[in-house]
């Protein structure tokens, strides 16, 4: 597959955004306060533990993504995409490291959460037996899902309003870097698989399967964490959670349209052009301590 032929299928707006952005590996520490692991977001156990539950998936998931993209590294001839792949791997490695430390705080409070991580690890190890193209399809699907979550977090300041500052900075840093590299794995797919009908069906089928599998694990895991906190029947807490996720702050309803865009034949991640948020990276980094 000729990379230039693939790029020609991308919209002009996406090409312009893509050409202007090269991810950068950043080595940062956050020193999260253990005493706020269960209530760091607005003092709400339900909100905080929901985001903590998402964090469980990141270290093992990002190692899976790195491995999936590496499988095709030797088939990339475009020097800019080669650089982007290297930076993608570096960023995902840093995300995994910081979320491992984050997750240790959660596991110390809720041991059941560590069991979830072990289950996800075993699942992904089994998925490594699949053909490389299927693993890459799962990777670009989950990268799309992560990118639209990141965009909503960056677009809606109320998501992290009144949150403990160090937790808020970690999530904002992660969202910014996910935005910065959101097209890298997709461009690898485009380069090696092309835009034919078979590639389209594999790509979109990967998103359907990844969505079903992810939420079938994440929702029970979240409920187990809330049960451990003794908040399963806390109606006031649940009302606050739904207000700040679906109604007052419609975080999840706003994900539907960008999620469905993935099913367009000509979709590219930079069709959702949110480069303006990347201007925040330098100011965000200024608030953080580089790793020793």
């Amino acid at each position: 597959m000729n990379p230039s032929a693939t790029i020609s299928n991308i919209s002009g707006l996406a090409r312009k955004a893509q050409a202007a952005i090269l991810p950068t590996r950043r080595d940062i520490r956050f020193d999260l306060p253990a005493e706020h692991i269960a209530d760091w977001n607005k003092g709400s156990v339900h909100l905080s533990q929901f985001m903590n539950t998402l964090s469980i998936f990141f270290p093992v998931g990002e190692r899976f993504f790195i491995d999936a993209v590496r499988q095709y590294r030797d088939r990339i001839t475009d020097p800019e995409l080669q650089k982007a792949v290297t930076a993608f791997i570096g960023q995902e490695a840093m995300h995994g490291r910081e979320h491992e430390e984050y997750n240790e705080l959660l596991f110390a409070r809720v041991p059941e959460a560590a069991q979830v991580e072990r289950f996800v690890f075993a699942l992904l190890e089994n998925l490594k037996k699949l053909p490389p193209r299927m693993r890459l399809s799962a990777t670009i699907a989950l990268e799309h899902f992560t990118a639209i979550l990141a965009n909503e977090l960056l677009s809606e300041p109320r998501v992290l309003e009144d949150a403990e500052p160090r937790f808020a900075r970690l999530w904002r840093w992660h969202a910014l870097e996910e935005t910065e590299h959101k097209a890298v794995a997709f461009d690898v797919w485009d380069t090696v698989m092309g835009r034919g009908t078979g590639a389209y069906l594999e790509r979109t089928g990967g998103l359907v399967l990844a969505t079903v599998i992810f939420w079938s694990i994440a929702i029970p895991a979240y409920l187990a964490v809330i049960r451990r906190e003794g908040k399963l029947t806390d109606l006031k807490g649940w009302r606050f959670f739904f207000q700040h996720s679906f109604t007052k702050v419609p975080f999840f309803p706003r994900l539907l349209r960008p999620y469905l865009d993935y099913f367009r034949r000509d979709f590219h991640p930079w069709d959702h052009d949110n480069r303006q948020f990347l201007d925040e990276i330098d100011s965000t980094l200024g608030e953080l301590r580089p790793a020793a």
Side-chain angles (χ1 to χ4, degrees):
M1 179 67 194
N2 184 347
S4 63
T6 297
I7 298 302
S8 69
N9 290 322
I10 303 172
S11 73
L13 181 62
R15 286 200 305 272
K16 182 179 178 182
Q18 180 187 43
I21 295 162
L22 181 66
T24 301
R25 177 187 179 276
R26 303 173 180 89
D27 192 356
I28 301 170
R29 298 282 187 179
F30 290 86
D31 299 323
L32 300 175
E35 65 273 18
H36 289 299
I37 186 64
D39 62 1
W40 63 267
N41 197 357
K42 302 174 181 59
S44 166
V45 172
H46 289 77
L47 277 176
S48 303
Q49 291 290 25
F50 178 77
M51 297 186 77
N52 293 348
T53 300
L54 296 182
S55 179
I56 296 171
F57 292 83
F58 290 140
V60 292
E62 284 161 345
R63 285 194 290 271
F64 180 87
F65 299 165
I66 289 170
D67 290 342
V69 171
R70 273 182 177 153
Q71 289 283 324
Y72 290 97
R73 200 174 189 175
D74 62 350
R75 295 177 61 179
I76 303 301
T77 59
D78 182 333
E80 290 302 304
L81 185 53
Q82 287 177 341
K83 291 177 186 177
V85 167
T86 298
F88 168 85
I89 291 170
Q91 285 189 339
E92 294 290 47
M94 291 300 98
H95 298 171
R97 184 193 68 190
E98 290 308 298
H99 279 277
E100 281 179 345
E101 295 185 6
Y102 181 144
N103 292 348
E104 287 302 318
L105 304 181
L106 175 62
F107 299 162
R109 182 178 177 91
V110 183
E112 291 87 345
Q115 297 173 13
V116 175
E117 184 185 57
R118 289 193 291 271
F119 176 81
V120 174
F121 173 79
L123 174 64
L124 294 179
E125 285 297 299
N126 283 321
L127 290 180
K128 288 181 180 179
K129 300 173 185 177
L130 295 173
R133 62 186 297 139
M134 294 182 69
R135 303 203 301 272
L136 185 59
S137 174
T139 295
I140 62 173
L142 289 167
E143 279 288 297
H144 172 65
F145 191 60
T146 305
I148 64 175
L149 286 169
N151 181 71
E152 190 57 33
L153 184 147
L154 295 169
S155 301
E156 177 50 84
R158 290 176 295 178
V159 172
L160 295 175
E161 188 178 49
D162 299 324
E164 197 286 328
R166 282 162 289 186
F167 280 96
R169 289 169 189 160
L170 181 148
W171 281 100
R172 192 164 66 248
W173 161 77
H174 193 163
L176 286 166
E177 290 200 345
E178 288 295 333
T179 299
E180 194 175 45
H181 74 228
K182 69 180 180 178
V184 175
F186 192 96
D187 288 340
V188 171
W189 173 271
D190 255 0
T191 298
V192 298
M193 305 302 172
R195 291 265 172 162
T197 299
Y200 170 76
L201 293 175
E202 278 191 85
R203 173 172 71 80
T204 53
L207 181 61
V208 172
L209 287 173
T211 302
V212 171
I213 293 171
F214 176 79
W215 287 115
S216 68
I217 300 170
I219 292 173
Y222 174 54
L223 294 176
V225 171
I226 293 298
R227 183 182 297 111
R228 176 69 180 223
E229 294 285 1
K231 298 289 186 179
L232 200 57
T233 59
D234 178 6
L235 297 182
K236 183 178 179 181
W238 282 116
R239 184 165 57 251
F240 189 84
F241 172 80
F242 280 101
Q243 286 175 342
H244 287 78
S245 302
F246 291 93
T247 56
K248 182 179 178 181
V249 181
F251 182 91
F252 284 105
R254 285 200 289 242
L255 295 177
L256 181 60
R257 183 171 180 177
Y259 174 87
L260 293 175
D261 278 348
Y262 194 83
F263 294 92
R264 295 195 341 255
R265 287 292 296 257
D266 63 346
F267 172 78
H268 186 272
W270 281 114
D271 291 338
H272 299 157
D273 187 6
N274 57 351
R275 283 173 293 171
Q276 73 275 12
F277 293 124
L278 300 181
D279 295 337
E280 299 177 22
I281 287 183
D282 289 339
S283 61
T284 297
L285 292 180
E287 301 172 352
L288 303 174
R289 178 174 69 82

